């Protein structure tokens, strides 16, 4: 029990502390609005794609290929995204914040928080009795969901772009957003490089990896400092009800619904554990950066990110403990 508490705190608290640093730096005048805007651009267009590329291009994606598992998780993400989008559009009167609400309610931190959680629970070095294929299956699922989450978000923001004033323009905007999204490009580049490296049996030059690693390393600190700076100059009494609902949906509704549906489809044990983890994760840092860069509501994004990062250390631990007690999870 305590190892999961420790992992959750050690994983999420640095995000919170860096955001608090952003609040302090903004308050003291060390950074301003221009720094936040430029920082978001650096993270969105260079940092996050590099991070995802680094995590995918070396993964042994051919080790585990459970098509039923991949199909379920992919279909569930798309289904949940569409349901939240439909309900948000129906019940939220201010249509200008629908895309921001939906983006915060379903986007999980797949590239930052998921890998260490999966490593702790399934890596054979931590559990010698564990099937080594389980960890590989989880990482493969993370890679697939990364593509889907950014692609669906690109569609979401393209649809709610007021510049798209016709069906043709709307379709063109969607295709353009998906094709040009730097994060989607990073995922695809990582997968293509992975296949080429395994097929041709080569490694990237050392100078390339030595460039990729520090660039990827700036994502979390720079993004969270910008989040904190945004929190420093946004009010907390105008749209907080949307933030609260999106946090509830992300941390409670999404994982509980995913587990119940997965049980109906016959998933058990480690498969069910992976499904729970991938749906109970806090909001992705990249989701906030993408939202800010594409004209979304930065208050909703930054506030939801801070709350989910803080509260997920509690909710994830409670879910893992409760599901173990009742014998659902391994």
């Amino acid at each position: 029990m305590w190892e999961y508490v420790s992992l959750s705190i050690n994983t999420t608290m640095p995000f919170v502390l860096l955001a608090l640093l952003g609040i302090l730096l903004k308050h003291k005048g060390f950074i301003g609005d221009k720094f936040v805007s430029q920082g978001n651009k650096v993270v969105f267009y260079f940092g996050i794609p590099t991070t995802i590329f680094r995590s995918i291009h070396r993964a042994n994606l051919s080790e585990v290929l459970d098509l039923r598992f991949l199909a379920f998780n992919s279909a569930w993400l798309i289904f949940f995204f569409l349901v939240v989008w439909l309900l948000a559009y129906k019940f939220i009167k201010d249509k200008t914040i629908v895309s921001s609400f939906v983006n915060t309610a379903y986007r999980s931190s797949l590239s930052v928080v998921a890998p260490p959680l999966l490593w702790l629970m399934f890596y054979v070095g931590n559990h010698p009795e564990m099937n080594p294929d389980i960890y590989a299956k989880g990482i493969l699922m993370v890679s697939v969901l990364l593509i889907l989450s950014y692609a669906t978000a690109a569609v979401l923001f393209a649809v709610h772009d007021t510049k798209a004033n016709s069906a043709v323009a709307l379709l063109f905007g969607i295709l353009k957003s998906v094709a040009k999204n730097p994060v989607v490009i990073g995922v695809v580049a990582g997968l293509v490089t992975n296949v080429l490296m395994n097929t041709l049996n080569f490694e990237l030059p050392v100078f390339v990896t030595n460039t990729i690693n520090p660039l990827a390393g700036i994502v979390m600190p720079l993004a969270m400092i910008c989040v904190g700076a945004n929190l420093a100059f946004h009010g907390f009494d105008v749209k907080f009800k949307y933030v609260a609902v999106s946090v509830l949906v992300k941390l409670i509704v999404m994982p509980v619904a995913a587990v119940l549906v997965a049980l109906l489809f016959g998933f058990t044990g480690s498969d069910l554990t992976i499904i729970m983890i991938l749906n109970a994760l806090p909001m992705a840092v990249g989701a906030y950066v993408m939202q800010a860069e594409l004209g979304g509501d930065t208050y909703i994004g930054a506030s939801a990110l801070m709350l989910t990062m803080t509260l997920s250390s509690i909710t994830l631990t409670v879910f893992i403990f409760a599901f173990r007690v009742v014998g659902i999870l391994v």
Side-chain angles (χ1 to χ4, degrees):
M1 172 60 179
W2 289 111
E3 63 179 329
Y4 297 108
V5 175
S6 176
L7 176 72
S8 297
I9 293 176
N10 290 337
T11 301
T12 57
M13 283 309 295
F15 291 84
V16 177
L17 294 177
L18 283 168
L20 291 175
L21 175 61
I23 294 175
L24 178 63
L25 292 175
K26 179 64 167 56
H27 178 71
K28 295 295 185 180
F30 287 98
I31 60 176
D33 294 353
K34 186 175 181 179
F35 175 91
V36 174
S37 176
Q38 293 174 337
N40 283 334
K41 288 181 182 294
V42 171
V43 172
F44 181 70
Y45 287 105
F46 298 99
I48 291 177
T50 303
T51 300
I52 295 173
F53 176 86
R54 183 181 64 172
S55 66
I56 292 176
H57 86 281
R58 285 188 174 182
N60 188 3
L61 302 180
S62 62
E63 183 176 351
V64 176
L65 187 60
D66 186 338
L67 294 180
R68 181 170 176 268
F69 185 70
L70 290 171
F72 172 82
N73 283 281
S74 301
W76 168 254
L77 177 67
I78 295 173
F79 172 77
F80 191 82
F81 160 70
L82 292 174
V83 169
V84 173
W85 191 2
L86 176 64
L87 294 176
Y89 191 81
K90 180 178 180 180
F91 291 106
I92 295 179
K93 294 181 180 180
D94 184 357
K95 303 307 179 187
T96 63
I97 66 172
V98 168
S99 58
S100 298
F101 174 87
V102 176
N103 189 55
T104 60
Y106 88 101
R107 299 282 298 281
S108 297
S109 183
L110 295 166
S111 60
V112 176
V113 179
L117 278 172
L118 293 173
W119 182 85
L120 173 73
M121 299 190 70
F122 299 118
Y123 188 61
V124 69
N126 299 326
H127 308 282
E129 75 286 355
M130 190 72 69
N131 182 346
D133 291 343
I134 297 175
Y135 177 69
K137 179 187 288 188
I139 294 300
L140 175 60
M141 194 68 256
V142 166
S143 302
V144 173
L145 292 182
L146 276 171
I147 297 175
L148 287 176
S149 63
Y150 277 103
T152 50
V155 171
L156 173 69
F157 284 105
V159 168
H160 287 275
D161 182 358
T162 56
K163 298 177 183 177
N165 51 16
S166 69
V168 175
L170 177 61
L171 178 60
F172 178 77
I174 292 174
L175 295 176
K176 183 178 179 181
S177 295
V178 173
K180 294 181 65 175
N181 188 287
V183 182
V184 174
I185 293 173
V187 174
V188 174
L191 291 172
V192 171
T193 304
N194 186 288
V195 172
L196 291 176
M197 289 174 62
N198 290 328
T199 302
L200 303 178
N201 193 27
F202 75 94
E203 292 287 335
L204 292 179
V206 174
F207 73 87
V208 174
T209 58
N210 285 347
T211 302
I212 290 174
N213 290 336
L215 180 58
I218 71 172
V219 171
M220 196 268 280
L222 180 56
M224 292 310 299
I225 287 175
C226 291
V227 167
N230 265 321
L231 285 177
F233 51 81
H234 279 74
F236 288 88
D237 59 345
V238 178
K239 302 173 184 175
F240 187 76
K241 61 181 179 180
Y242 300 114
V243 175
V245 174
S246 68
V247 170
L248 177 66
V249 171
K250 182 70 207 72
L251 296 184
I252 305 297
V253 176
M254 190 174 183
V256 171
V259 168
L260 292 177
V261 174
L263 285 170
L264 293 177
F265 278 84
F267 290 101
T268 59
S270 60
D271 285 350
L272 197 60
T273 307
I274 294 173
I275 290 170
M276 185 279 294
I277 290 174
L278 296 181
N279 286 274
L281 295 169
M283 176 187 169
V285 176
Y288 162 74
V289 175
M290 183 178 184
Q291 186 167 310
E293 184 60 28
L294 298 182
D297 191 294
T298 54
Y299 166 69
I300 292 178
S303 301
L305 180 59
M306 276 292 293
L307 285 173
T308 56
M309 282 293 180
T310 304
L311 297 177
S312 64
S313 60
I314 300 173
T315 56
L316 269 169
T317 302
V318 170
F319 277 132
I320 292 172
F321 179 74
F323 292 161
R324 281 182 178 276
V325 168
V326 300
I328 295 178
L329 305 180
V330 295

mmCIF file of all heavy atoms in Angstrom, residues 23-50:
data_model
loop_
_atom_site.group_PDB
_atom_site.id
_atom_site.type_symbol
_atom_site.label_atom_id
_atom_site.label_comp_id
_atom_site.label_asym_id
_atom_site.label_seq_id
_atom_site.Cartn_x
_atom_site.Cartn_y
_atom_site.Cartn_z
ATOM 1 N N ILE A 23 3.796 30.474 -10.115
ATOM 2 C CA ILE A 23 3.001 31.519 -9.456
ATOM 3 C C ILE A 23 3.916 32.539 -8.798
ATOM 4 O O ILE A 23 3.727 33.759 -8.925
ATOM 5 C CB ILE A 23 2.059 30.889 -8.407
ATOM 6 C CG1 ILE A 23 1.020 30.005 -9.098
ATOM 7 C CG2 ILE A 23 1.370 31.970 -7.578
ATOM 8 C CD1 ILE A 23 0.132 29.251 -8.129
ATOM 9 N N LEU A 24 4.945 32.051 -8.091
ATOM 10 C CA LEU A 24 5.882 32.938 -7.396
ATOM 11 C C LEU A 24 6.665 33.797 -8.382
ATOM 12 O O LEU A 24 6.818 35.012 -8.184
ATOM 13 C CB LEU A 24 6.842 32.101 -6.550
ATOM 14 C CG LEU A 24 7.921 32.876 -5.785
ATOM 15 C CD1 LEU A 24 7.283 33.810 -4.768
ATOM 16 C CD2 LEU A 24 8.889 31.908 -5.099
ATOM 17 N N LEU A 25 7.168 33.173 -9.453
ATOM 18 C CA LEU A 25 7.949 33.922 -10.440
ATOM 19 C C LEU A 25 7.109 35.007 -11.102
ATOM 20 O O LEU A 25 7.586 36.117 -11.348
ATOM 21 C CB LEU A 25 8.501 32.966 -11.503
ATOM 22 C CG LEU A 25 9.577 31.970 -11.040
ATOM 23 C CD1 LEU A 25 9.937 31.022 -12.170
ATOM 24 C CD2 LEU A 25 10.818 32.696 -10.538
ATOM 25 N N LYS A 26 5.852 34.701 -11.399
ATOM 26 C CA LYS A 26 4.960 35.699 -12.004
ATOM 27 C C LYS A 26 4.660 36.823 -11.013
ATOM 28 O O LYS A 26 4.659 38.006 -11.359
ATOM 29 C CB LYS A 26 3.654 35.022 -12.443
ATOM 30 C CG LYS A 26 2.628 35.964 -13.061
ATOM 31 C CD LYS A 26 3.151 36.558 -14.358
ATOM 32 C CE LYS A 26 2.042 37.235 -15.156
ATOM 33 N NZ LYS A 26 1.311 38.261 -14.439
ATOM 34 N N HIS A 27 4.412 36.434 -9.769
ATOM 35 C CA HIS A 27 4.090 37.426 -8.738
ATOM 36 C C HIS A 27 5.259 38.368 -8.484
ATOM 37 O O HIS A 27 5.064 39.575 -8.266
ATOM 38 C CB HIS A 27 3.700 36.713 -7.446
ATOM 39 C CG HIS A 27 3.401 37.643 -6.314
ATOM 40 N ND1 HIS A 27 2.268 38.436 -6.278
ATOM 41 C CD2 HIS A 27 4.083 37.915 -5.162
ATOM 42 C CE1 HIS A 27 2.260 39.145 -5.166
ATOM 43 N NE2 HIS A 27 3.349 38.851 -4.475
ATOM 44 N N LYS A 28 6.485 37.830 -8.534
ATOM 45 C CA LYS A 28 7.678 38.643 -8.266
ATOM 46 C C LYS A 28 8.176 39.378 -9.503
ATOM 47 O O LYS A 28 9.125 40.160 -9.419
ATOM 48 C CB LYS A 28 8.797 37.756 -7.706
ATOM 49 C CG LYS A 28 8.485 37.154 -6.335
ATOM 50 C CD LYS A 28 8.362 38.229 -5.274
ATOM 51 C CE LYS A 28 8.171 37.631 -3.888
ATOM 52 N NZ LYS A 28 8.045 38.671 -2.840
ATOM 53 N N GLY A 29 7.566 39.136 -10.652
ATOM 54 C CA GLY A 29 7.943 39.851 -11.859
ATOM 55 C C GLY A 29 9.096 39.258 -12.636
ATOM 56 O O GLY A 29 9.613 39.893 -13.566
ATOM 57 N N PHE A 30 9.520 38.038 -12.295
ATOM 58 C CA PHE A 30 10.611 37.412 -13.047
ATOM 59 C C PHE A 30 10.153 36.970 -14.437
ATOM 60 O O PHE A 30 10.960 36.899 -15.367
ATOM 61 C CB PHE A 30 11.163 36.207 -12.276
ATOM 62 C CG PHE A 30 11.974 36.586 -11.068
ATOM 63 C CD1 PHE A 30 11.413 36.575 -9.803
ATOM 64 C CD2 PHE A 30 13.303 36.952 -11.208
ATOM 65 C CE1 PHE A 30 12.150 36.924 -8.689
ATOM 66 C CE2 PHE A 30 14.052 37.296 -10.094
ATOM 67 C CZ PHE A 30 13.487 37.290 -8.838
ATOM 68 N N ILE A 31 8.889 36.604 -14.576
ATOM 69 C CA ILE A 31 8.343 36.214 -15.876
ATOM 70 C C ILE A 31 7.015 36.945 -16.083
ATOM 71 O O ILE A 31 6.369 37.375 -15.120
ATOM 72 C CB ILE A 31 8.117 34.687 -15.984
ATOM 73 C CG1 ILE A 31 7.137 34.194 -14.911
ATOM 74 C CG2 ILE A 31 9.431 33.937 -15.880
ATOM 75 C CD1 ILE A 31 6.807 32.718 -15.022
ATOM 76 N N GLY A 32 6.624 37.073 -17.355
ATOM 77 C CA GLY A 32 5.374 37.758 -17.669
ATOM 78 C C GLY A 32 4.565 36.994 -18.699
ATOM 79 O O GLY A 32 4.876 35.846 -19.033
ATOM 80 N N ASP A 33 3.538 37.648 -19.227
ATOM 81 C CA ASP A 33 2.640 37.003 -20.180
ATOM 82 C C ASP A 33 3.377 36.556 -21.440
ATOM 83 O O ASP A 33 3.080 35.496 -22.002
ATOM 84 C CB ASP A 33 1.515 37.965 -20.569
ATOM 85 C CG ASP A 33 0.603 38.282 -19.393
ATOM 86 O OD1 ASP A 33 0.776 37.648 -18.334
ATOM 87 O OD2 ASP A 33 -0.273 39.156 -19.540
ATOM 88 N N LYS A 34 4.332 37.352 -21.905
ATOM 89 C CA LYS A 34 5.074 36.998 -23.111
ATOM 90 C C LYS A 34 5.890 35.729 -22.899
ATOM 91 O O LYS A 34 5.956 34.861 -23.785
ATOM 92 C CB LYS A 34 5.996 38.152 -23.516
ATOM 93 C CG LYS A 34 6.690 37.916 -24.847
ATOM 94 C CD LYS A 34 7.512 39.144 -25.264
ATOM 95 C CE LYS A 34 8.176 38.906 -26.618
ATOM 96 N NZ LYS A 34 8.968 40.096 -27.060
ATOM 97 N N PHE A 35 6.501 35.590 -21.723
ATOM 98 C CA PHE A 35 7.265 34.382 -21.410
ATOM 99 C C PHE A 35 6.359 33.160 -21.433
ATOM 100 O O PHE A 35 6.723 32.109 -21.972
ATOM 101 C CB PHE A 35 7.913 34.520 -20.035
ATOM 102 C CG PHE A 35 8.625 33.262 -19.569
ATOM 103 C CD1 PHE A 35 9.969 33.078 -19.843
ATOM 104 C CD2 PHE A 35 7.950 32.276 -18.862
ATOM 105 C CE1 PHE A 35 10.629 31.929 -19.429
ATOM 106 C CE2 PHE A 35 8.597 31.124 -18.437
ATOM 107 C CZ PHE A 35 9.941 30.952 -18.727
ATOM 108 N N VAL A 36 5.163 33.283 -20.852
ATOM 109 C CA VAL A 36 4.218 32.166 -20.805
ATOM 110 C C VAL A 36 3.811 31.755 -22.216
ATOM 111 O O VAL A 36 3.792 30.561 -22.557
ATOM 112 C CB VAL A 36 2.974 32.539 -19.977
ATOM 113 C CG1 VAL A 36 1.920 31.427 -20.059
ATOM 114 C CG2 VAL A 36 3.365 32.789 -18.521
ATOM 115 N N SER A 37 3.495 32.737 -23.059
ATOM 116 C CA SER A 37 3.085 32.445 -24.433
ATOM 117 C C SER A 37 4.206 31.766 -25.211
ATOM 118 O O SER A 37 3.986 30.757 -25.897
ATOM 119 C CB SER A 37 2.674 33.749 -25.131
ATOM 120 O OG SER A 37 2.367 33.510 -26.490
ATOM 121 N N GLN A 38 5.414 32.307 -25.103
ATOM 122 C CA GLN A 38 6.539 31.721 -25.827
ATOM 123 C C GLN A 38 6.928 30.360 -25.255
ATOM 124 O O GLN A 38 7.296 29.442 -26.003
ATOM 125 C CB GLN A 38 7.730 32.677 -25.780
ATOM 126 C CG GLN A 38 7.491 33.976 -26.545
ATOM 127 C CD GLN A 38 8.617 34.971 -26.375
ATOM 128 O OE1 GLN A 38 9.370 34.925 -25.397
ATOM 129 N NE2 GLN A 38 8.741 35.896 -27.323
ATOM 130 N N GLY A 39 6.828 30.212 -23.935
ATOM 131 C CA GLY A 39 7.134 28.930 -23.308
ATOM 132 C C GLY A 39 6.179 27.837 -23.763
ATOM 133 O O GLY A 39 6.594 26.700 -24.026
ATOM 134 N N ASN A 40 4.898 28.179 -23.870
ATOM 135 C CA ASN A 40 3.912 27.210 -24.360
ATOM 136 C C ASN A 40 4.243 26.759 -25.780
ATOM 137 O O ASN A 40 4.092 25.580 -26.122
ATOM 138 C CB ASN A 40 2.508 27.816 -24.322
ATOM 139 C CG ASN A 40 1.925 27.834 -22.913
ATOM 140 O OD1 ASN A 40 2.293 27.022 -22.073
ATOM 141 N ND2 ASN A 40 1.033 28.769 -22.670
ATOM 142 N N LYS A 41 4.686 27.692 -26.611
ATOM 143 C CA LYS A 41 5.024 27.350 -27.993
ATOM 144 C C LYS A 41 6.218 26.395 -28.048
ATOM 145 O O LYS A 41 6.214 25.423 -28.813
ATOM 146 C CB LYS A 41 5.344 28.618 -28.786
ATOM 147 C CG LYS A 41 4.131 29.483 -29.099
ATOM 148 C CD LYS A 41 4.533 30.708 -29.909
ATOM 149 C CE LYS A 41 3.337 31.608 -30.191
ATOM 150 N NZ LYS A 41 2.350 30.952 -31.069
ATOM 151 N N VAL A 42 7.240 26.664 -27.248
ATOM 152 C CA VAL A 42 8.424 25.797 -27.229
ATOM 153 C C VAL A 42 8.050 24.387 -26.790
ATOM 154 O O VAL A 42 8.467 23.392 -27.406
ATOM 155 C CB VAL A 42 9.503 26.381 -26.291
ATOM 156 C CG1 VAL A 42 10.645 25.383 -26.095
ATOM 157 C CG2 VAL A 42 10.049 27.686 -26.854
ATOM 158 N N VAL A 43 7.242 24.290 -25.739
ATOM 159 C CA VAL A 43 6.837 22.980 -25.240
ATOM 160 C C VAL A 43 5.983 22.247 -26.265
ATOM 161 O O VAL A 43 6.190 21.062 -26.551
ATOM 162 C CB VAL A 43 6.070 23.123 -23.910
ATOM 163 C CG1 VAL A 43 5.476 21.788 -23.480
ATOM 164 C CG2 VAL A 43 7.000 23.645 -22.817
ATOM 165 N N PHE A 44 5.009 22.963 -26.829
ATOM 166 C CA PHE A 44 4.045 22.332 -27.732
ATOM 167 C C PHE A 44 4.687 21.881 -29.035
ATOM 168 O O PHE A 44 4.442 20.764 -29.502
ATOM 169 C CB PHE A 44 2.896 23.302 -28.023
ATOM 170 C CG PHE A 44 1.826 22.733 -28.920
ATOM 171 C CD1 PHE A 44 0.976 21.736 -28.476
ATOM 172 C CD2 PHE A 44 1.666 23.216 -30.206
ATOM 173 C CE1 PHE A 44 -0.005 21.217 -29.289
ATOM 174 C CE2 PHE A 44 0.678 22.708 -31.035
ATOM 175 C CZ PHE A 44 -0.164 21.702 -30.582
ATOM 176 N N TYR A 45 5.516 22.728 -29.636
ATOM 177 C CA TYR A 45 6.037 22.436 -30.961
ATOM 178 C C TYR A 45 7.346 21.641 -30.947
ATOM 179 O O TYR A 45 7.695 21.022 -31.959
ATOM 180 C CB TYR A 45 6.246 23.739 -31.740
ATOM 181 C CG TYR A 45 4.950 24.370 -32.182
ATOM 182 C CD1 TYR A 45 4.448 25.499 -31.528
ATOM 183 C CD2 TYR A 45 4.208 23.834 -33.225
ATOM 184 C CE1 TYR A 45 3.250 26.079 -31.922
ATOM 185 C CE2 TYR A 45 3.005 24.411 -33.624
ATOM 186 C CZ TYR A 45 2.529 25.527 -32.970
ATOM 187 O OH TYR A 45 1.335 26.089 -33.354
ATOM 188 N N PHE A 46 8.067 21.637 -29.832
ATOM 189 C CA PHE A 46 9.350 20.948 -29.797
ATOM 190 C C PHE A 46 9.488 19.956 -28.637
ATOM 191 O O PHE A 46 9.883 18.814 -28.849
ATOM 192 C CB PHE A 46 10.493 21.978 -29.723
ATOM 193 C CG PHE A 46 10.552 22.892 -30.906
ATOM 194 C CD1 PHE A 46 10.009 24.166 -30.842
ATOM 195 C CD2 PHE A 46 11.142 22.481 -32.091
ATOM 196 C CE1 PHE A 46 10.050 25.011 -31.939
ATOM 197 C CE2 PHE A 46 11.189 23.323 -33.197
ATOM 198 C CZ PHE A 46 10.639 24.586 -33.125
ATOM 199 N N GLY A 47 9.163 20.404 -27.419
ATOM 200 C CA GLY A 47 9.425 19.579 -26.251
ATOM 201 C C GLY A 47 8.600 18.302 -26.190
ATOM 202 O O GLY A 47 9.141 17.193 -26.069
ATOM 203 N N ILE A 48 7.273 18.439 -26.255
ATOM 204 C CA ILE A 48 6.403 17.270 -26.120
ATOM 205 C C ILE A 48 6.586 16.275 -27.271
ATOM 206 O O ILE A 48 6.678 15.068 -27.027
ATOM 207 C CB ILE A 48 4.933 17.704 -25.968
ATOM 208 C CG1 ILE A 48 4.751 18.393 -24.607
ATOM 209 C CG2 ILE A 48 3.991 16.508 -26.090
ATOM 210 C CD1 ILE A 48 3.364 18.929 -24.369
ATOM 211 N N PRO A 49 6.632 16.715 -28.538
ATOM 212 C CA PRO A 49 6.887 15.742 -29.604
ATOM 213 C C PRO A 49 8.202 14.985 -29.415
ATOM 214 O O PRO A 49 8.280 13.789 -29.686
ATOM 215 C CB PRO A 49 6.936 16.615 -30.868
ATOM 216 C CG PRO A 49 6.130 17.812 -30.521
ATOM 217 C CD PRO A 49 6.384 18.066 -29.073
ATOM 218 N N THR A 50 9.223 15.676 -28.928
ATOM 219 C CA THR A 50 10.507 15.026 -28.692
ATOM 220 C C THR A 50 10.401 14.005 -27.575
ATOM 221 O O THR A 50 10.964 12.900 -27.663
ATOM 222 C CB THR A 50 11.578 16.075 -28.339
ATOM 223 O OG1 THR A 50 11.664 17.033 -29.390
ATOM 224 C CG2 THR A 50 12.930 15.416 -28.138
#
